[in-house]
Amino acid sequence: MIVTVVNVKGGVAKTTTAMALATAASRDGLDTRVLDGDPQATATAWWQMAGDNGEDLPFEVSPTNRAHVSRIGRTAGDGVTIVDCPPNGDLVDASIKAADFVVIPSTPAPVDLQQTILTAATCEDAGKPCAVLIVMARTGTVSLKTFRETVGRDFHVFDTEIPLKEDVKFDFGHRFRSNLYGYEDVWREIKREVNA
């Protein structure tokens, strides 16, 4: 299975989402890898730092490019490949095209709404199943309710919301603790969608 994590808006927790979903898939007993397509190489740095800290991650992270991603559909096998995309460039289109499912993380902020809808429309135009994942959510707020209703009129939104938690920032360069902040539920939703 190939899961692409993408949003043409930056700063919406794409790398955290990719790494948490890879952890959930690994805990599910699946051979998992992350392809780091972001020029900032944050996923790769996370993986390397975790190793340096004596906390090897249960999956490998490696840099990728458009040509590599274009071929992964033929080489994915039975495991899970999660592609952490940059916010723009030809790698975005190649990663959407290669995906079995696309996860579009977004904060429920009005500033993220337009680009999130654009990303979801791009996925649907490509014929790819996708869902918007609300991250950094504050339960019970007007912005969260408005965002979910607005996006949900035209696009699928995950039932699970990832809450705003300060602890998440401290997982960088380490293994996730037993708590995946709800990403394990997102992983279950992805499996249901792909196997439906």
Side-chain angles (χ1 to χ4, degrees):
M1 178 191 320
I2 301 165
V3 177
T4 291
V5 179
V6 65
N7 191 326
V8 296
K9 172 73 172 63
V12 292
K14 290 187 294 291
T15 298
T16 300
T17 297
M19 299 297 273
L21 290 176
T23 300
S26 295
R27 289 179 182 176
D28 210 12
L30 298 167
D31 183 28
T32 305
R33 66 179 173 163
V34 172
L35 298 181
D36 186 358
D38 194 329
Q40 295 181 22
T42 307
T44 302
W46 187 332
W47 181 71
Q48 291 170 336
M49 286 177 62
D52 292 345
N53 289 326
E55 299 179 35
D56 289 338
L57 299 181
F59 51 86
E60 184 176 324
V61 177
S62 56
T64 196
N65 57 44
R66 182 192 52 77
H68 183 231
V69 166
S70 296
R71 295 183 54 82
I72 61 173
R74 292 177 255 167
T75 61
D78 294 329
V80 176
T81 298
I82 298 178
V83 183
D84 181 21
C85 282
N88 54 50
D90 58 359
L91 180 58
V92 170
D93 293 332
S95 298
I96 290 170
K97 183 177 180 184
D100 294 305
F101 194 85
V102 181
V103 177
I104 307 164
S106 180
T107 73
V111 70
D112 293 345
L113 182 62
Q114 180 182 3
Q115 298 302 333
T116 298
I117 288 173
L118 176 64
T119 306
T122 300
C123 294
E124 288 202 349
D125 289 347
K128 294 297 176 172
C130 65
V132 173
L133 174 62
I134 300 173
V135 299
M136 298 182 240
R138 291 179 193 259
T139 306
T141 60
V142 172
S143 61
L144 176 59
K145 181 177 185 277
T146 303
F147 185 91
R148 179 174 279 284
E149 287 173 355
T150 303
V151 175
R153 279 196 291 264
D154 296 309
F155 303 104
H156 182 67
V157 180
F158 282 100
D159 293 333
T160 305
E161 297 165 353
I162 305 302
L164 179 63
K165 294 281 187 184
E166 191 68 21
D167 291 354
V168 176
K169 296 175 185 174
F170 297 104
D171 286 322
F172 179 80
H174 300 278
R175 279 180 173 248
F176 281 98
R177 297 165 191 85
S178 59
N179 178 8
L180 282 178
Y181 311 102
Y183 281 106
E184 61 272 41
D185 296 325
V186 175
W187 174 243
R188 283 191 279 273
E189 286 191 59
I190 292 169
K191 289 193 306 181
R192 276 198 307 269
E193 291 292 325
V194 170
N195 295 324

